[in-house]
Amino acid sequence: MARYVVDVMPKPEILDPQGKAVHGALPRLGFAGVQDVRQGKRFEIELEGEASDELLAEVQRMAETLLSNPVIEDFAVHVEGDGVGGKHTA
Amino acid sequence: MARYVVDVMPKPEILDPQGKAVHGALPRLGFAGVQDVRQGKRFEIELEGEASDELLAEVQRMAETLLSNPVIEDFAVHVEGDGVGGKHTA
């Protein structure tokens, strides 16, 4: 069994109201020095079979077609426990 | 400037309706062999100063108090671009 992670984040030029809300709340809770907060989504996907380049490409297609909105979001795919992987900035 | 990542995921024993919806949609889009999908949140937090153990502990406190609900969610904190870091399972 292979477990992949898809990280989906709002593009830098896109407003991020959830991140802004967290950014505004942190100083009120006593946390100083926060310069920016962005909030996105994380998917953990378990697939049959061993981790391979084919499965990674399959997960990349899932991220493109279902998990992210390429107009406003970037995504990155990697095997869980493995820092590297394909980063995708449309 | 230090950038930290907080990953917040539903605990394994907690139902995850968003993940279930994705899991149900993938076969309809032609993706086979998907065994499980979990959906959580990812926060990217920029702090003043260099990355340090003190800042990591500070981000861990943010995750505990504001970014996650420890009753139903686990979180993991790490410096961006760095795979390792504190994983927290309450």
Side-chain angles (χ1 to χ4, degrees):
Chain A
M1 195 202 62
R3 181 180 284 190
Y4 288 89
V5 174
V6 180
D7 292 319
V8 178
M9 296 299 295
K11 285 178 186 283
E13 67 271 25
I14 296 288
L15 276 179
D16 171 14
Q18 294 177 300
K20 285 274 167 299
V22 172
H23 192 180
L26 285 171
R28 293 197 296 272
L29 291 168
F31 295 104
V34 182
Q35 294 193 316
D36 196 24
V37 179
R38 306 286 285 172
Q39 181 174 344
K41 288 176 282 187
R42 173 188 169 96
F43 298 90
E44 293 181 356
I45 300 176
E46 284 182 18
L47 295 178
E48 284 166 17
E50 288 298 301
S52 67
D53 286 351
E54 288 72 37
L55 284 188
L56 186 70
E58 180 97 339
V59 174
Q60 213 132 10
R61 280 193 297 276
M62 294 178 192
E64 279 165 16
T65 53
L66 181 66
L67 306 180
S68 78
N69 176 348
V71 177
I72 58 168
E73 292 168 327
D74 293 329
F75 66 84
V77 178
H78 60 92
V79 180
E80 193 177 52
D82 181 4
V84 294
K87 186 149 190 166
H88 181 274
T89 307
Chain B
M1 194 201 61
R3 182 181 284 192
Y4 288 89
V5 175
V6 181
D7 292 319
V8 178
M9 297 299 293
K11 285 178 186 285
E13 67 270 24
I14 297 289
L15 277 178
D16 171 15
Q18 293 177 301
K20 285 275 166 299
V22 172
H23 192 181
L26 286 171
R28 293 197 295 273
L29 292 169
F31 295 104
V34 182
Q35 295 193 315
D36 196 24
V37 179
R38 306 286 286 173
Q39 181 174 344
K41 288 176 282 188
R42 175 187 167 97
F43 298 90
E44 293 180 357
I45 299 176
E46 285 182 17
L47 295 178
E48 285 166 17
E50 288 299 300
S52 66
D53 287 350
E54 288 71 38
L55 283 188
L56 186 69
E58 181 97 339
V59 175
Q60 211 131 12
R61 279 193 298 275
M62 294 177 190
E64 279 166 15
T65 53
L66 181 67
L67 306 180
S68 77
N69 176 348
V71 177
I72 57 169
E73 292 168 328
D74 294 328
F75 65 83
V77 178
H78 60 92
V79 179
E80 192 175 53
D82 181 3
V84 293
K87 185 148 191 166
H88 182 274
T89 307

